[in-house]
Amino acid sequence: MSNKYDVVVIGAGPAGYVAAIRCAQLGFKTACVEKWRDDKGNAVYGGTCLNVGCIPSKALLDSSHKYVEARKDFATHGISTGDVTIDVPAMIARKAKIVGQLTQGVKSLFSANKVEGIAGFGKLLPGKRVQVTKQDGSTEEISADNIILAAGSVPINIPPTPIDNETIVDSTGALEFSSVPKRLGVIGAGVIGLELGSVWSRLGAEVTVLEAMEAFLPAVDTQIAKEAQKILTKQGLNIKLGAKVTGSKINKGKTKSVTVSYTDANGPQEATFDKLIVAVGRRPLTENLLDPAAGVELDKRGFVIVNDSCATAVPGVYAAGDIVRGPMLAHKGMEEGVMVAERIAGKKTQVNYSLVPFVIYTHPEIAWVGKTEQQLQQEGREYNVGTFPFSINGRAMAANDTEGMVKILADAKTDRVLGCHIIGPSAADLVQQMVIAMEFSASAEDVGLTMFSHPALSEAIHEAALAANGHAVHMVNKRKR
Ligand code: FAD
Ligand code: NAD
């Protein structure tokens, strides 16, 4: 094996493995260094997303949703099931099987594309050299014309609630409970808190979410966030806003529990839980990644400093994914991975950071792209709003899944769509239609003039676009035209 490559990627998460595959497709001799190992010491590819993130959390969200449907919804369709029970270990095993299939899939893609996977911990040295530390502690040095740093992120820990991986867990531990905790505490009403809180609440846990901020989902369009808070509370999540956690105490009895102290508007409070999930955000993983002499700099929050095309200040050294600025999302990292590979090949590929879609996979799902109404108001822009509720969408009614709405914001003068906000069934897939429309600078009229299949959930998008100009057909328009 020669130790000189065209490209070496450090990290095989969505940013790194996609970058490596695209580099190899473009004809570069590519290696990808990955530290994640299975029980047998073999490298595992796919990073946080495939192993302990997007995929396992969605597997549990889907399983737990089916459980709720079987218990609460089937009867509406005239289907009786008798007693519905859950087998948590079977649910967790199904999740593990999907994870295994997908991580194995990346391995196959590496070999099909001739990406050389190297098991070990990578550290960037000066002169575009990488030191790889193997499982047995031995080291090897490789070098490349181009290096892509894609080491990803890890959960943030907070001093009042140290993770013991038994009673107090982070998102990874929350994917592995062997039974449903009776009382579950969640710190942080962000994406992970709401998704994993929903999983265990659906399976029967009493879930309390402690959120430090006074506002619920402040990044989400306020109308949609209010609707989400109402629906999730109705589903059983006890969301306490303005709750600042100050400490925790493990109670050692027959079964362990944890008492969390926090302060809110009413003063000091305490709550006891059988399990506690800490989900207060993630931080870039850069420990031991960079020899200071390599010249790559970090910002105050620890992110690798890059420009719009993910180049660091060191020629030939790039960084992509959670390790750099911007939302920590798998799809953002994957697009950056492609962009970096293509830039190395001399192309001018550029990620459109203004059209990153966001999704929270609760039920109903919450998904959006572009500006919120509050952002447009702050910018002093004039806009039209069109909304359409799923309660009067034929397909949603047929499916008995009618909560939520589509909201479209369009420029008042040019009619160009500026934002799309959805809470509703399959919102993740629906919003993608507007991402494409917005990539092509569509106006609300363009979307309104497009033919949508009937009956379909996406007709709510069609009607919301028509409503932005006051001529929705299947409801009475607030704005006449
Ligand atoms: P990572 O996926 O973190 O991969 C980095 C890789 O680099 C890892 O495999 C790591 O082992 C390796 N590595 C690190 N340092 C070194 C080193 N020095 N040498 C060798 N290897 C190294 N995002 C979404 O878009 N949609 C979702 O639904 C979603 N759900 C999530 C659910 C949960 C519970 C969590 C925790 C995250 C979720 N995310 C989701 C976020 C998503 O997982 C991340 O944004 C994404 O994985 C980031 O990709 P990445 O390649 O930058 O980093
Ligand atoms: P987050 O930033 O979404 O939410 C963290 C929440 O914790 C915030 O609301 C914050 O105000 C609160 N918080 C912070 N410190 C606190 C404290 N001391 N006490 C109480 N509350 C506190 O982070 P997350 O939910 O941990 O997710 C991490 C990252 O993973 C996110 O950036 C997200 O993009 C990504 N992720 C994405 C998806 C998805 O796309 N569906 C799913 C899961 C995770």
Side-chain angles (χ1 to χ4, degrees):
M1 174 181 93
S2 154
N3 59 5
K4 174 83 177 65
Y5 297 87
D6 296 324
V7 183
V8 166
V9 184
I10 301 181
Y17 82 73
V18 167
I21 290 171
R22 189 71 191 114
C23 283
Q25 285 173 347
L26 289 161
F28 298 118
K29 183 183 175 198
T30 307
C32 185
V33 185
E34 173 55 59
K35 70 177 173 64
W36 208 302
R37 295 193 196 96
D38 62 16
D39 300 342
K40 297 183 190 100
N42 299 317
V44 178
Y45 306 115
T48 304
C49 170
L50 297 194
N51 289 290
V52 293
C54 322
I55 296 301
S57 58
K58 266 80 256 179
L60 295 185
L61 278 157
D62 284 334
S63 294
S64 57
H65 181 60
K66 287 192 189 301
Y67 177 66
V68 170
E69 283 191 315
R71 288 190 60 218
K72 300 198 175 150
D73 189 42
F74 280 12
T76 329
H77 296 267
I79 303 167
S80 45
T81 49
D83 246 9
V84 179
T85 57
I86 38 161
D87 177 342
V88 174
M91 213 175 260
I92 301 285
R94 186 192 85 97
K95 175 212 73 171
K97 190 171 165 207
I98 298 162
V99 167
Q101 284 168 337
L102 286 167
T103 54
Q104 199 55 38
V106 176
K107 199 172 188 174
S108 308
L109 288 171
F110 271 11
S111 63
N113 285 285
K114 301 197 174 25
V115 173
E116 192 179 321
I118 299 178
F121 184 94
K123 177 177 190 166
L124 181 69
L125 305 176
K128 289 186 274 184
R129 291 171 300 127
V130 173
Q131 181 192 64
V132 180
T133 306
K134 306 279 184 175
Q135 191 176 10
D136 62 8
S138 65
T139 60
E140 130 179 53
E141 212 175 278
I142 56 179
S143 65
D145 296 331
N146 297 280
I147 308 278
I148 305 173
L149 305 168
S153 65
V154 286
I156 291 176
N157 297 327
I158 49 172
T161 51
I163 305 293
D164 64 7
N165 283 323
E166 194 186 347
T167 313
I168 308 181
V169 299
D170 58 18
S171 57
T172 302
L175 296 166
E176 295 294 335
F177 292 156
S178 52
S179 60
V180 181
K182 187 168 177 318
R183 298 160 303 175
L184 174 66
V186 179
I187 304 185
V191 199
I192 293 181
L194 296 179
E195 289 186 0
L196 294 182
S198 291
V199 165
W200 296 106
S201 158
R202 291 169 189 174
L203 298 178
E206 285 163 25
V207 178
T208 304
V209 185
L210 301 174
E211 166 59 51
M213 309 256 275
E214 298 288 347
F216 181 67
L217 293 178
V220 176
D221 185 276
T222 304
Q223 188 179 4
I224 302 290
K226 277 198 183 132
E227 187 72 10
Q229 188 175 0
K230 202 172 75 193
I231 293 171
L232 295 174
T233 302
K234 198 175 78 192
Q235 287 175 4
L237 293 189
N238 180 7
I239 302 165
K240 292 183 184 290
L241 299 174
K244 303 203 170 47
V245 175
T246 50
S248 63
K249 185 168 77 64
I250 300 286
N251 309 307
K252 290 182 188 144
K254 207 164 132 205
T255 51
K256 276 190 183 173
S257 63
V258 53
T259 299
V260 176
S261 4
Y262 61 96
T263 53
D264 64 12
N266 300 318
Q269 312 284 340
E270 273 190 357
T272 299
F273 307 111
D274 301 302
K275 298 272 184 200
L276 179 68
I277 304 173
V278 181
V280 295
R282 296 176 64 82
R283 62 172 179 84
L285 177 57
T286 51
E287 279 97 340
N288 293 321
L289 176 68
L290 306 166
D291 183 315
V296 171
E297 295 203 7
L298 305 181
D299 70 14
K300 275 190 215 133
R301 297 169 60 214
F303 291 94
V304 173
I305 299 176
V306 288
N307 65 12
D308 269 1
S309 46
C310 287
T312 70
V314 181
V317 179
Y318 302 82
D322 282 9
I323 202 175
V324 302
R325 82 282 174 272
M328 289 181 161
L329 295 172
H331 43 283
K332 175 260 192 188
M334 292 193 229
E335 292 306 310
E336 288 181 335
V338 170
M339 171 172 73
V340 168
E342 298 195 347
R343 291 242 161 196
I344 291 171
K347 297 175 190 275
K348 295 271 176 265
T349 312
Q350 180 59 52
V351 169
N352 182 355
Y353 287 105
S354 65
L355 290 183
V356 178
F358 293 82
V359 182
I360 305 175
Y361 290 84
T362 46
H363 193 92
E365 292 174 352
I366 304 160
W368 70 100
V369 61
K371 306 268 184 178
T372 63
E373 210 172 335
Q374 293 64 47
Q375 285 171 323
L376 294 177
Q377 284 163 359
Q378 269 163 21
E379 290 171 14
R381 279 180 92 156
E382 285 182 29
Y383 59 90
N384 292 326
V385 187
T387 57
F388 192 84
F390 285 105
S391 58
I392 51 172
N393 170 275
R395 189 66 209 271
M397 290 165 83
N400 194 30
D401 208 349
T402 53
E403 282 177 318
M405 72 181 90
V406 174
K407 173 173 181 174
I408 287 180
L409 302 167
D411 188 283
K413 291 195 192 80
T414 64
D415 195 36
R416 185 173 172 164
V417 178
L418 302 173
C420 173
H421 305 270
I422 305 177
I423 175 164
S426 302
D429 292 301
L430 292 179
V431 83
Q432 202 57 42
Q433 306 186 18
M434 289 308 293
V435 180
I436 296 172
M438 290 168 75
E439 277 287 357
F440 288 90
S441 309
S443 62
E445 185 185 31
D446 289 329
V447 179
L449 287 171
T450 304
M451 196 182 293
F452 282 69
S453 324
H454 173 79
L457 296 172
S458 56
E459 286 178 290
I461 291 181
H462 192 215
E463 291 285 337
L466 290 170
N469 285 316
H471 49 94
V473 174
H474 291 90
M475 68 171 183
V476 179
N477 289 282
K478 286 190 190 128
R479 182 168 167 256
K480 304 279 180 211
R481 195 168 121 169

